[in-house]
């Protein structure tokens, strides 16, 4: 699978979600969502984390950058959908482990997964509040012993990526960082309506709904889009 570099950030160009899934299972990779913010505001640490793993176009900023490089057929792959695509595709073939969210969120997530995917094999799960080293080491040890095929970690970046790399050292598998996807899946957080998603305007909708939280973030990305227009990335 080909990739492109933007501001030193390696972003893969999957033709389809299925191709991306097959690639990461073949290579036992860590999936990391890439968007315009992660590209433009990359630090040495975040850039190296993404480049060691498989960064995929989760945000439209990344998609537009890839399209400017000639990948006209590339499409956005939202992480909050991709993890469910993985489960749907491999429900009968792979085993899973989940880390993240509050107790009530992870419990609700597990219950809903078992209802939506009756054949799913979940080897373990726990909340995302690993406040002590011993808690972090305990979940890493549990994963290394149970050896799941797929591990989903929903804790926010870069915390979840650093943890996944630590887990990977003990047990190579497919890992995906999910941010707040458990909250979306269980209905605690609502995504944009379908029309906004279908028309590639989910980010605009989210800014409209949370202007105080997102407006400054969007303003800081204006130079990114200017560079994108003039092929300066």
């Amino acid at each position: 699978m080909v990739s492109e570099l933007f501001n030193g950030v390696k972003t893969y160009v999957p033709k389809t979600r299925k191709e991306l899934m097959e690639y990461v299972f073949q290579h036992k990779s860590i999936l990391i969502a890439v968007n315009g913010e992660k590209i433009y505001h990359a630090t040495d640490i975040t850039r190296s984390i993404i480049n060691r793993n498989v960064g995929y176009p989760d945000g439209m900023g990344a998609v537009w950058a890839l399209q400017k490089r000639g990948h006209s057929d590339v499409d956005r792959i939202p992480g909050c959908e991709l993890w469910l695509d993985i489960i749907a595709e491999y429900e009968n073939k792979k085993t899973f482990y989940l880390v993240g969210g509050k107790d009530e969120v992870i419990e609700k997530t597990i219950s809903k997964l078992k209802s939506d995917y009756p054949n799913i094999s979940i080897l373990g799960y726990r909340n995302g509040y690993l406040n002590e080293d011993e808690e972090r080491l305990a979940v890493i040890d549990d994963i290394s012993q149970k050896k799941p095929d797929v591990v989903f970690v929903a804790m926010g970046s870069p915390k979840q990526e650093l943890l996944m790399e630590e887990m990977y050292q003990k047990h190579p598998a497919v890992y995906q960082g999910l941010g707040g996807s458990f909250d979306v899946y269980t209905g605690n957080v609502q995504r944009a309506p379908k029309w906004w998603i279908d028309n590639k305007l989910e980010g605009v909708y989210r800014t409209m709904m949370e202007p105080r939280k997102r407006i400054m973030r969007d303003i800081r990305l204006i130079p990114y889009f200017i560079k994108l227009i003039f092929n300066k990335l």
Side-chain angles (χ1 to χ4, degrees), residues 83 87 92 94 116 124 154 156 164 167 169 172 188 207 213 215 228:
W83 76 288
I87 292 175
N92 298 311
K94 305 294 183 182
D116 292 346
M164 288 189 296
M167 291 171 168
Q169 293 300 314
N188 292 337
T207 296
K213 179 179 178 180
I215 193 68
L228 188 58

Side-chain angles (χ1 to χ4, degrees), residues 7 35 84 142 145 148:
N7 192 26
N35 55 27
L84 297 175
D142 195 42
Q145 289 187 35

Side-chain angles (χ1 to χ4, degrees), residues 79-162:
C80 62
E81 296 177 7
L82 179 60
W83 76 288
L84 297 175
D85 293 335
I86 291 172
I87 292 175
E89 182 71 22
Y90 296 99
E91 173 189 2
N92 298 311
K93 307 170 188 175
K94 305 294 183 182
T95 57
F96 300 86
Y97 198 110
L98 291 81
V99 179
K102 298 178 181 178
D103 281 328
E104 57 267 29
V105 172
I106 189 66
E107 292 288 350
K108 191 174 180 181
T109 298
I110 297 300
S111 178
K112 183 169 168 52
L113 285 173
K114 289 180 177 179
S115 175
D116 292 346
Y117 307 95
N119 296 321
I120 192 171
S121 175
I122 298 174
L123 301 186
Y125 65 92
R126 66 149 292 151
N127 67 45
Y129 293 85
L130 308 176
N131 298 318
E132 304 291 340
D133 285 345
E134 59 189 48
E135 290 181 306
R136 189 185 82 260
L137 294 174
V139 72
I140 293 172
D141 184 61
D142 195 42
I143 287 170
S144 67
Q145 289 187 35
K146 293 179 177 175
K147 294 180 170 39
D149 298 304
V150 185
V151 182
F152 298 118
V153 181
M155 297 172 67
S157 296
K159 187 176 181 180
Q160 63 191 15
E161 283 79 23
L162 293 170

Side-chain angles (χ1 to χ4, degrees), residues 166-181:
E166 197 172 357
M167 291 171 168
Y168 192 95
Q169 293 300 314
K170 293 288 186 179
H171 172 60
V174 171
Y175 290 80
Q176 185 186 354
L178 296 180
S181 294

